[in-house]
């Protein structure tokens, strides 16, 4: 059936096609399961009589594996079709090709659907080349890039649909790209327990990022609520669709700020028809990599809590210096002179192996000069052993090899990277690391990545070549030295996103321009329009942390409440009243966002004594995002959004420094529809109006 113009009629036809495809898959999957069971039975009945060389056994195993994979693919396709039953399509483009009189009609949905495999699509995947017309053009001239080249023509009509539970909610003909009323309606809905996909409302500037395939390094600088994370995830889904031959889900890694955020976004790719991908905290990765050098490291969140509590100018300056690009240069200068300080050459003699001090120096500085410093003597040892075994025609035993290795290792003054880093700090005028045994060592957070960088420079590190695309979220919280480590480990394509205004560490934040310098290449694309919050909430956020480039969507709501209380007891009682009001509303999620985790924990304990409500305290050790009422810190709330937000203790004592301003901005910009700020005493300068 050719696509028809009546959306309701087409929905009925598509629904029947889906039912038919699902029924066919049910039959095929059932038959496949019986075939698999039969193959299992045959194997166990006959495996003792199979040929002695194992050929028949191997063939049976391969056939079984093929059948299982085929069955799994059908099960996944059925799952996708069942999901499509709820909402098969959301858009339509009537496109008249250049030189043609009648337009061709394209219905657009979350995934492709045809009457049969390989047939002409009834529904086109939102990532298909032709679907770009829906997102990028008004009625009138339009074009899209197809494998055959640029296809030009005229958009005769565009429609937007909302289908829910298989029923048409509305059908709306639009002369604009994504109609503002439709967009506002979508944005005005209540939040869910997880991040929403945005396929129905992708904007032109977002679509340009999603469909960007040419830039190896793409940095997305986006305002709070501009959809940075959603756009990045949709970009990954698009790249997987665009290059299935070379890019798999297993080739992609996301560096996310914490486990809660990983859980918050984990459903997006499966919703878009792709397998989930690996996510990890870069900090956790670093801590694991440093085992053997130090047993313990300060957590980033503990460091941040310490910084905000102490507000010590000296500690702040020291921390800042260790994040800057110049610190990397200082380390490289130290490494250039380390060769001479680290080595104590001496003649080697053992069972016919003989190398003079002069010969070893020559091998060290010339033949093996490109080998990492702490593994260079291993390379020289292997060279000498190979030479000996070749000349004498016998191999050294494991015991003999250990003796030889020990002789070569003794030429290092030390191989302890902790001690070497201590030398570097002393040379640069910083306080030395405590001279303690391994079990008592603990690195402050500011030293974690410099030590990791030093480890890779001294020992070398295998590149993670299986990762072909790296996504880095919250780019503003990474330091230049962290980007150096990342580039050494992952020299692949990258999507990097963040917002300098949301830095929880203004002393070491990285802008898009900083990142561009770190990777010596890359394109910067900006998302300036904020979609998350109402105009009134965005307006308050702009007063806290002005951003001239940020542009709010004109979706209006309540003015934020700034509530003063007599004392802390009154403020806590007032927050309890706000919670009660929330419970009576239609809102699904409430975030109570404190400046620090310590404050969030204390407030949770106090509220639990006077509230009967189920309160969830979200700490840096949490791993799951839950629906309902969440109490957390600003740095844990980054990337999350709530229908309603309460920000406690917005007084001048609690919020007064540069880092406090960033924390307050992050807290305020988590709110979608309703915002309340509470305080006792003198209000923070940041909220005075």
């Amino acid at each position: 059936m050719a696509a028809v113009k009546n959306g309701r009629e087409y929905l009925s036809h598509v629904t029947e096609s889906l039912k038919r495809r699902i029924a066919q898959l049910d039959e095929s999957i059932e038959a496949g399961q019986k075939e698999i069971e039969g193959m299992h039975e045959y194997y166990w009945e006959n495996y003792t009589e199979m040929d002695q060389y194992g050929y028949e056994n191997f063939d049976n195993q391969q056939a079984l594996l093929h059948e299982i994979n085929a069955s799994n693919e059908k099960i996944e396709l059925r799952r996708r079709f069942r999901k499509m039953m709820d909402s098969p399509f959301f858009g339509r483009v009537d496109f008249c090709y250049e030189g043609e009189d009648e337009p061709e009609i394209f219905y657009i949905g979350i995934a492709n659907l045809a009457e049969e495999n390989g047939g002409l699509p009834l529904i086109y995947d939102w990532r298909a080349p032709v679907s770009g017309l829906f997102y990028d053009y008004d009625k009138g001239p339009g074009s899209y890039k197809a494998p055959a080249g640029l296809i030009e023509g005229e958009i005769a009509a565009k429609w937007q649909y909302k289908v829910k539970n298989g029923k048409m909610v509305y059908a709306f003909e639009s002369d604009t790209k994504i109609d503002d009323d439709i967009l506002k309606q979508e944005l005005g809905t209540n939040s869910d327990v997880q991040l929403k996909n945005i396929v129905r409302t992708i904007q032109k500037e977002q679509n340009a990022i999603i469909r960007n395939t040419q830039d190896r390094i793409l940095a997305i600088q986006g305002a709070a609520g501009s959809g940075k994370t959603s756009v990045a995830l949709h970009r990954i889904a698009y790249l997987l669709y665009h290059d299935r031959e070379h890019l798999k889900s297993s080739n992609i890694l996301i560096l996310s700020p914490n486990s809660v955020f990983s859980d918050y976004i984990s459903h997006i790719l499966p919703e878009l028809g792709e397998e989930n991908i690996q996510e990890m905290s870069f900090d956790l990765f670093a801590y694991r990599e440093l085992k053997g050098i130090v047993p313990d490291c300060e957590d980033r969140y503990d460091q941040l809590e310490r910084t905000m509590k102490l507000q010590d100018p000296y500690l702040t300056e020291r921390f800042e210096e260790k994040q800057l690009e110049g610190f990397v240069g200082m380390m490289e200068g130290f490494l250039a002179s380390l060769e001479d300080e680290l080595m104590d050459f001496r003649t080697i003699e053992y069972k016919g192996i003989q190398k003079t001090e002069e010969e070893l120096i020559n091998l060290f500085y010339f033949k093996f000069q490109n080998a990492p410093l702490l593994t260079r003597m291993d390379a020289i040892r292997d060279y000498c052993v190979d030479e000996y075994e070749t000349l004498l025609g016998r191999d050294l035993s494991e015991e003999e090899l250990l003796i030889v290795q020990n002789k070569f290792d003794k030429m290092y003054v030390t191989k302890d990277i902790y001690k070497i880093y201590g030398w570097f700090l002393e040379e640069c005028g910083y306080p030395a690391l405590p001279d303690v045994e391994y079990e008592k060592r603990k690195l402050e957070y500011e030293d974690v990545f410099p030590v990791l960088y030093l480890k890779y420079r001294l020992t070398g590190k295998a590149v993670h070549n299986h990762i072909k695309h790296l996504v880095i979220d919250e780019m503003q919280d990474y330091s230049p030295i962290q980007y150096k480590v990342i580039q050494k480990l992952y020299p692949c394509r990258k999507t990097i996103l963040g917002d300098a205004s949301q830095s929880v560490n203004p002393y070491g934040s990285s802008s898009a321009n900083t990142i561009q310098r770190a990777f010596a290449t890359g394109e910067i694309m900006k998302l300036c329009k904020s979609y998350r919050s109402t105009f009134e909430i965005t307006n308050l956020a702009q007063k806290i942390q002005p951003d001239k480039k940020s542009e709010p969507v004109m979706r209006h709501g309540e003015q934020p409440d700034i509530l003063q209380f007599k004392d802390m007891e009154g403020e806590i009682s007032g927050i309890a009243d706000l919670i009660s009001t929330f419970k009576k509303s239609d809102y699904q999620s409430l975030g109570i966002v404190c400046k620090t985790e310590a404050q969030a924990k204390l407030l949770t304990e106090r509220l639990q004594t006077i509230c009967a409500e189920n309160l969830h305290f979200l700490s840096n050790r949490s791993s799951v995002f839950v629906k309902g009422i969440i109490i957390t810190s600003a740095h844990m709330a980054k990337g999350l959004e709530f229908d309603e937000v309460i920000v406690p203790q917005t007084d001048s004592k609690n919020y007064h420094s540069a880092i406090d301003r960033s924390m307050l901005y992050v807290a305020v910009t988590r709110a979608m529809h309703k915002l309340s700020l509470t305080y006792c005493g003198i209000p923070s300068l940041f909220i005075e109006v």
Side-chain angles (χ1 to χ4, degrees):
M1 175 182 173
V4 298
K5 291 186 177 182
N6 188 305
R8 294 181 186 274
E9 289 180 14
Y10 202 66
L11 175 61
S12 178
H13 175 71
V14 167
T15 301
E16 289 304 312
S17 293
L18 278 167
K19 289 177 179 177
R20 187 166 55 255
R21 293 293 307 271
I22 291 169
Q24 290 169 351
L25 285 167
D26 285 340
E27 291 178 10
S28 182
I29 291 167
E30 186 179 354
Q33 291 299 321
K34 289 179 179 177
E35 179 69 19
I36 290 169
E37 290 170 7
M39 293 171 76
H40 273 295
E41 288 176 8
Y42 174 82
Y43 178 81
W44 289 113
E45 289 173 3
N46 297 279
Y47 80 96
T48 56
E49 299 175 9
M50 291 182 183
D51 64 277
Q52 60 177 321
Y53 301 106
Y55 295 128
E56 190 178 356
N57 184 23
F58 177 79
D59 288 344
N60 272 273
Q61 292 295 325
Q62 289 299 108
L64 179 61
L65 182 62
H66 175 78
E67 195 66 37
I68 291 172
N69 288 338
S71 181
N72 288 337
E73 287 176 6
K74 291 171 186 176
I75 291 170
E76 174 56 30
L77 187 60
R78 183 178 64 180
R79 185 199 65 79
R80 178 157 60 90
F81 286 163
R82 284 174 173 173
K83 189 169 182 64
M84 287 182 72
M85 287 287 291
D86 178 65
S87 181
F89 57 84
F90 54 80
R92 192 186 97 203
V93 177
D94 299 1
F95 186 66
C96 193
Y97 291 99
E98 197 171 58
E100 300 288 334
D101 296 325
E102 290 294 320
E104 189 169 343
I105 299 173
F106 301 96
Y107 281 86
I108 299 162
I110 202 79
N112 278 314
L113 172 69
E115 297 278 11
E116 57 186 23
N117 288 335
L120 189 68
L122 298 171
I123 308 294
Y124 286 82
D125 192 295
W126 66 276
R127 297 166 291 183
V130 73
S131 301
L133 294 169
F134 179 74
Y135 299 114
D136 289 340
Y137 293 100
D138 303 339
K139 258 176 97 171
S143 62
Y144 65 94
K145 292 180 181 177
L150 188 68
I151 307 297
E152 296 182 293
E154 190 93 4
I155 296 174
K158 276 180 57 177
W159 286 75
Q160 295 171 70
Y161 304 97
K162 184 167 185 177
V163 182
K164 191 173 183 179
N165 298 324
K167 305 290 185 184
M168 183 72 72
V169 179
Y170 61 68
F172 187 93
E173 187 173 8
S174 173
D175 289 338
T176 59
K177 290 176 280 297
I178 304 292
D179 187 80
D180 283 345
D181 291 335
I182 302 295
L183 176 61
K184 289 174 187 176
Q185 187 179 40
E186 289 297 309
L187 297 174
T189 58
N190 296 331
S191 71
D192 205 343
V193 73
Q194 293 176 308
L195 192 68
K196 299 174 183 174
N197 79 65
I198 59 170
V199 291
R200 297 180 68 246
T201 58
I202 292 171
Q203 303 294 286
K204 185 176 182 179
E205 68 273 15
Q206 296 173 329
N207 198 43
I209 294 171
I210 290 169
R211 293 175 182 261
N212 182 313
T213 59
Q214 70 270 16
D215 290 309
R216 185 171 175 80
I217 309 292
L218 181 61
I220 307 169
Q221 175 72 55
S226 60
K228 297 181 295 294
T229 302
S230 290
V231 167
L233 292 171
H234 285 65
R235 181 172 191 244
I236 293 303
Y238 178 80
L239 293 173
L240 286 166
Y241 178 90
H242 181 74
D243 192 16
R244 291 201 182 278
E245 189 176 339
H246 302 104
L247 189 66
K248 310 295 181 189
S249 298
S250 57
N251 301 138
I252 300 172
L253 172 66
I254 296 178
L255 296 182
S256 52
N258 52 64
S259 298
V260 171
F261 187 71
S262 296
D263 179 63
Y264 184 65
I265 66 173
S266 61
H267 68 295
I268 289 288
L269 283 167
E271 272 189 16
L272 298 175
E274 302 295 343
E275 294 179 25
N276 221 334
I277 59 181
Q278 184 185 355
E279 300 172 56
M280 73 170 188
S281 159
F282 195 45
D283 287 349
L284 182 60
F285 171 81
Y287 305 152
R288 289 172 179 171
E289 285 288 287
L290 290 174
K291 294 294 183 185
I293 300 174
V294 291
D296 194 15
C297 300
E298 182 183 34
D299 187 270
R300 176 163 65 123
Y301 296 105
D302 292 336
Q303 180 272 326
L304 187 59
E305 296 274 315
R306 174 167 58 89
T307 300
M308 288 189 290
K309 182 180 178 181
L310 298 175
Q311 301 275 329
D312 186 320
Y314 171 71
L315 292 177
T316 298
E317 183 182 2
R318 191 180 74 186
F319 184 91
E320 182 180 10
E321 286 175 355
K322 291 182 179 180
Q323 313 305 303
L324 297 176
E325 293 173 85
F327 195 71
V328 180
M330 290 165 63
M331 290 191 75
E332 288 297 332
F334 168 75
L335 286 166
S337 63
L338 185 61
E339 286 183 344
D340 299 331
E341 297 177 22
L342 197 60
M343 304 308 301
D344 181 17
F345 295 103
R346 60 192 74 176
T347 298
I348 289 282
E349 290 184 334
Y350 182 73
K351 291 190 175 182
I353 298 175
Q354 274 194 332
K355 288 292 176 186
T356 65
E357 181 180 333
E358 185 179 351
E359 287 176 313
L360 290 170
I361 289 172
N362 187 61
L363 288 169
F364 188 87
Y365 286 103
F366 296 100
K367 187 175 182 62
F368 294 97
Q369 61 178 327
N370 294 324
L373 188 54
L374 289 185
T375 62
R376 200 176 301 177
M377 291 308 297
D378 293 339
I380 296 171
R381 178 204 65 214
D382 291 343
Y383 173 81
C384 294
V385 169
D386 286 344
E387 188 179 58
Y388 167 83
E389 290 179 340
T390 301
L391 288 172
L392 298 187
R394 83 171 186 90
D395 293 342
L396 293 176
S397 66
E398 288 188 14
E399 186 179 346
E400 290 173 323
L401 285 171
L402 285 173
I403 294 171
V404 173
Q405 181 174 327
N406 187 51
K407 287 179 177 290
F408 277 91
D409 282 346
K410 282 184 176 179
M411 281 185 261
Y412 288 103
V413 175
T414 183
K415 294 182 78 172
D416 189 338
I417 294 171
Y418 179 87
K419 289 183 178 180
I420 295 171
Y421 182 68
W423 296 351
F424 165 68
L425 291 180
E426 289 185 86
E427 185 175 294
C428 297
Y430 293 102
L433 294 176
D435 186 14
V436 295
E437 59 267 31
Y438 173 81
E439 289 74 20
K440 294 182 179 178
R441 293 175 179 177
K442 184 176 181 178
L443 287 179
E444 292 185 343
Y445 185 73
E446 65 209 57
D447 293 312
V448 168
F449 287 92
V451 173
L452 189 59
Y453 181 77
L454 190 64
K455 173 188 173 180
Y456 293 156
R457 288 286 282 109
L458 290 174
T459 64
K461 179 68 182 180
V463 175
H464 294 256
N465 285 320
H466 69 287
I467 299 298
K468 297 180 180 180
H469 200 107
L470 183 71
V471 180
I472 305 173
D473 204 354
E474 305 295 351
M475 68 182 185
Q476 70 279 356
D477 294 329
Y478 287 81
S479 66
I481 201 160
Q482 286 176 306
Y483 281 118
K484 285 283 187 182
V485 172
I486 288 170
Q487 186 64 349
K488 191 169 282 292
L489 290 173
Y490 304 103
C492 58
R493 298 170 69 97
K494 297 177 182 68
T495 301
I496 309 171
L497 57 143
D499 176 15
S501 298
Q502 297 185 62
S503 174
V504 297
N505 175 21
Y507 315 117
S509 65
S510 295
S511 66
N513 290 322
T514 307
I515 291 160
Q516 203 173 30
R517 289 197 303 273
F519 296 111
T521 184
E523 179 67 21
I524 299 171
M525 300 186 77
K526 296 184 178 181
L527 294 173
C528 298
K529 188 171 284 189
S530 179
Y531 300 100
R532 176 185 296 134
S533 307
T534 62
F535 176 84
E536 289 75 16
I537 293 171
T538 303
N539 195 40
L540 176 62
Q542 284 290 302
K543 290 176 180 176
I544 296 170
Q545 191 87 285
D547 182 357
K548 294 179 180 179
K549 296 178 181 177
S550 180
E551 178 188 347
V553 170
M554 291 299 171
R555 179 174 67 87
H556 289 279
E558 300 177 47
Q559 283 288 348
D561 290 321
I562 301 177
L563 306 173
Q564 182 179 23
F565 297 90
K566 184 179 179 181
D567 52 31
M568 181 57 72
E569 291 299 322
E571 184 176 354
I572 292 172
S573 179
I575 293 170
D577 291 340
L578 290 171
I579 292 173
S580 296
T581 303
F582 160 78
K583 292 293 290 184
K584 297 172 186 173
S585 73
D586 295 327
Y587 295 145
Q588 300 296 309
S589 60
L590 170 64
I592 303 175
V593 186
C594 301
K595 186 177 83 171
T596 68
E597 188 168 295
Q599 290 173 359
K601 185 178 181 182
L602 183 61
L603 181 61
T604 304
E605 292 169 353
R606 297 288 298 277
L607 285 171
Q608 283 173 337
T609 63
I610 60 174
C611 279
E613 312 299 342
N614 191 15
L615 308 176
H616 305 281
F617 171 56
L618 208 64
S619 76
N620 69 314
R621 292 168 182 81
S622 302
S623 58
V624 179
F625 183 80
V626 294
K627 195 172 185 177
I629 304 169
I630 286 175
I631 305 176
T632 191
S633 62
H635 53 270
M636 278 300 298
K638 291 181 71 174
L640 308 181
E641 61 185 31
F642 306 91
D643 290 325
E644 182 178 348
V645 166
I646 301 169
V647 187
Q649 295 179 255
T650 53
D651 56 87
S652 59
K653 186 178 179 181
N654 197 34
Y655 287 100
H656 60 89
S657 67
I659 192 170
D660 295 340
R661 182 193 293 269
S662 292
M663 291 295 181
L664 185 57
Y665 179 82
V666 169
V668 165
T669 54
R670 300 310 94 198
M672 297 174 64
H673 312 301
K674 184 175 173 59
L675 173 66
S676 302
L677 284 71
T678 67
Y679 72 95
C680 58
I682 301 169
S684 168
L685 289 171
F686 306 140
I687 63 171
E688 286 188 343
V689 293

